[in-house]
Every structure is written in C-alpha cells, then in structure tokens.
Amino acid sequence: MTFLEECIQDSMPIWESCLDTEFLKGIADGSLPEDCFKGYIVDDSLYLREYSKVFAWGMINSHDMEEIRNYYSLLSFVNESEDATRRYYLKRYHITDEEIQPLPLRPENQAYVDTMLTAAREGQGAAECMMACLPCMLSYGWIFGEMIRRAPQVERTPYWPLVSDYAGNRYDAICKAWSQFTDKVCRDLSPERRQRCMEIFRACSQHEYHFWEMSARPRTDI
C-alpha cells in the first residue's frame, strides 16, 4: 500500500459520511432545492479561486521542473475543465463572475482554504502541497462514482452534469496521474513528515465534509 493509499484509507470514514450529508443526498435523488445548489456553485467558484493559489505556493517551493509542470497541469485542469461545468450553471442561474468575486467566503469555506494555503506555504515541498489539494480532487471522484452506483436515478436530475463531470474516465485518468506524482514525492518521507502529511490530508477531508454541510444552507446574498 502506498502512502497516499494509507491516507485515503485513514480518511475514508469521512468521505463515507459526506454521502450522508443533506446536500449530497439531495443531489442523488434530485430533491435538493435549487437555491442551495445555486449557493454551492457560488461557494465553489470562490473556493476554486483560492484553491488555485495552493499551486502557486507549490511552484514557489518546487525543487525541479517536473514539480512545476505538475502544478501547471493542475491549474490548467481547474481553469479549463472544472470551470466549464461551473460556467454552465452560472449561465443557467444568470450569475456572472463579476458578481461573484466581491462576495465573502462563508466561514466553512474560509477555514478550508486557510488550511490548504497554510500547508502549501509552510510545508517542506511537494508532499505537503499535494496532501492539501488531493482530498478535494480524489474525494470528488470517489463520492460521485459511489453516488452513481448507489443512486443511478441521479442521471435524471438537474445535477447530472456536475455528477458526470467527476465520475468520467477523463477525470479518473487525471486523478491517477496526480496520484502517481504524489506517490513519487512521498516515497522517502521521514516518519515525522509522513505523520504531518497524513494529518493535512485528514484535515482537508474533514473540511470537505463541512463544505458539503454548509452547502445545504442557501446563501442569502445572491
């Protein structure tokens, strides 16, 4: 078992609990009020802006061009692929990026991005940076893959474009590539650094759970 697999196994109970949140259960059966989903899209837009900064710190602390290329590929994916689905829903709800950007991050969102940015800024290198950003990437693929398996009726909901985006072969292939890079940079960590990295992974997984909980409450400023 690789170190990343150990981290995933350690955080799997948290990922499982995410599927039981009101928001994701509402996504699965189509009962989620659209004002909650509209708030989620806004919150996710603000999150992705800050998430991209994690890779900036990764580049600053990088040791070679391979690391820089990896962060560039991550940033490109966020900007091109994840942003496409986000823009689809923004257009549907008649919201522009210009209207979103001045809005504040809700407390759960702010706490999450603060944790990631601190880990990337204060870490010793790529290991800490990847431990901060991978819980989001990998848990999304697992959660929405499980959702399709457990609740195939999700295909008939308004939320299918989001679900299918994270459960497709392309997303899975990209996650595998990121995981392979992470396995490489985590191969020879000291016991102390391994422990710290697992703590970062677990903390960010917990923040994912709180983000899903938050999303069941609609924003009042849009």
Side-chain angles (χ1 to χ4, degrees):
M1 182 182 292
T2 67
F3 177 62
L4 178 58
E5 288 171 338
E6 290 180 31
C7 290
I8 292 172
Q9 184 179 69
D10 177 69
S11 287
M12 186 54 67
I14 302 172
W15 293 11
E16 284 277 2
S17 66
C18 290
L19 279 168
D20 292 326
T21 58
E22 184 179 344
F23 182 87
L24 285 175
K25 288 193 293 186
I27 289 284
D29 63 17
S31 66
L32 181 74
E34 280 210 273
D35 60 342
C36 291
F37 190 75
K38 182 179 177 181
Y40 162 77
I41 292 298
V42 171
D43 287 322
D44 191 52
S45 298
L46 297 170
Y47 169 85
L48 288 174
R49 181 190 69 201
E50 302 303 308
Y51 186 68
S52 298
K53 297 175 185 178
V54 175
F55 309 138
W57 279 109
M59 289 183 185
I60 290 171
N61 294 330
S62 63
H63 302 293
D64 53 48
M65 286 303 298
E66 181 185 5
E67 289 185 22
I68 291 175
R69 283 192 293 269
N70 181 72
Y71 298 131
Y72 181 79
S73 73
L74 291 167
L75 185 58
S76 296
F77 179 78
V78 170
N79 185 54
E80 295 167 12
S81 299
E82 293 209 28
D83 207 44
T85 303
R86 186 181 68 86
R87 288 197 306 269
Y88 164 81
Y89 283 109
L90 289 178
K91 183 177 180 180
R92 174 175 176 165
Y93 295 131
H94 306 290
I95 304 172
T96 66
D97 261 326
E98 289 75 16
E99 293 171 317
I100 290 174
Q101 294 309 313
L103 297 176
L105 278 74
R106 291 202 270 183
E108 295 89 342
N109 200 354
Q110 186 68 62
Y112 189 178
V113 300
D114 285 348
T115 297
M116 287 193 297
L117 288 167
T118 298
R121 182 177 64 248
E122 298 181 359
Q124 297 178 44
E128 289 83 2
C129 187
M130 296 307 293
M131 289 296 108
C133 65
L134 277 181
C136 175
M137 301 174 190
L138 300 185
S139 71
Y140 262 61
W142 184 86
I143 284 169
F144 288 117
E146 281 296 298
M147 183 180 291
I148 292 172
R149 187 178 69 82
R150 300 181 191 186
Q153 71 273 13
V154 70
E155 294 187 28
R156 298 187 294 275
T157 73
Y159 310 118
W160 176 243
L162 174 78
V163 175
S164 61
D165 230 26
Y166 292 105
N169 291 333
R170 180 170 180 267
Y171 188 77
D172 182 60
I174 291 171
C175 285
K176 285 180 179 176
W178 295 330
S179 296
Q180 288 170 359
F181 172 77
T182 303
D183 288 336
K184 180 179 178 180
V185 299
C186 291
R187 191 172 297 145
D188 299 315
L189 298 180
S190 67
E192 294 78 15
R193 198 173 172 200
R194 282 172 63 93
Q195 180 61 33
R196 173 58 182 150
C197 283
M198 184 172 285
E199 289 170 357
I200 292 170
F201 194 96
R202 187 187 311 119
C204 289
S205 293
Q206 193 68 52
H207 281 300
E208 279 290 318
Y209 175 79
H210 293 314
F211 195 103
W212 293 124
E213 280 192 317
M214 172 194 73
S215 298
R217 305 189 305 274
R219 292 187 70 111
T220 59
D221 54 0
I222 54 175

